[in-house]
């Protein structure tokens, strides 16, 4: 059994900050991709920030310079530090990962989502 659990969402005023956490647990051999997505009103789920194969990071243009993604490999955890939040950042944020439970056997997993609300 593999599970992703997010935490850290909440309500803040514009210009404020939040820190999201995601922890993967269960039978895990390797995590090849781990990232944050968000669902905003009228939009499909979109990538916010992620660690990709090879150890690199990727950011959406609309968060670059404001958000920082970090990963703790030993703890199978991913974090998203969100600063200078804007009302348009309001969304449900999801943690997603491609996980090998054993060599060459991988599957995508998703957390339950955490609500971020930014007021003006």
């Amino acid at each position: 059994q593999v599970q992703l659990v997010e935490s850290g969402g909440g309500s803040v005023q514009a210009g404020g900050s939040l820190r999201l956490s995601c922890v993967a647990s269960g039978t895990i051999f390797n995590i090849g991709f781990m990232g944050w997505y968000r669902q905003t009103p009228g939009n499909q789920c979109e990538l916010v920030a992620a660690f990709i194969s090879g150890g690199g990071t990727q950011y959406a243009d609309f968060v670059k310079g404001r958000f920082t993604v970090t990963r703790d490999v030993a703890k199978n955890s991913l974090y998203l530090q969100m600063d200078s939040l804007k009302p348009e950042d309001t969304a449900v944020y999801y943690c997603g990962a491609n996980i090998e439970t054993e060599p060459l056997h991988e599957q995508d997993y998703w957390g339950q989502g955490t609500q971020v609300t930014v007021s003006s």
Side-chain angles (χ1 to χ4, degrees):
Q1 296 291 107
V2 174
Q3 185 177 32
L4 303 182
V5 178
E6 304 109 325
S7 62
S11 298
V12 298
Q13 293 185 332
S17 298
L18 287 171
R19 180 176 170 84
L20 306 184
S21 299
C22 173
V23 180
S25 62
T27 303
I28 299 173
F29 174 75
N30 183 63
I31 300 177
F33 174 94
M34 200 170 189
W36 292 99
Y37 296 77
R38 72 184 189 187
Q39 176 71 55
T40 57
N43 293 312
Q44 296 184 2
C45 208
E46 59 189 0
L47 178 68
V48 177
F51 274 86
I52 60 177
S53 297
T57 57
Q58 182 178 167
Y59 292 93
D61 287 341
F62 54 81
V63 303
K64 219 165 189 176
R66 299 188 297 122
F67 293 7
T68 303
V69 63
T70 56
R71 180 178 174 182
D72 188 328
V73 175
K75 296 181 179 179
N76 291 326
S77 299
L78 189 74
Y79 308 93
L80 185 66
Q81 178 65 44
M82 303 185 293
D83 298 319
S84 301
L85 283 162
K86 304 174 181 179
E88 52 262 44
D89 293 321
T90 295
V92 178
Y93 285 73
Y94 298 91
C95 179
N98 182 263
I99 298 175
E100 292 180 271
T101 55
E102 60 185 11
L104 303 181
H105 186 194
E106 53 81 25
Q107 184 176 332
D108 291 340
Y109 295 88
W110 296 91
Q112 80 286 353
T114 185
Q115 177 70 49
V116 171
T117 302
V118 184
S119 62
S120 59

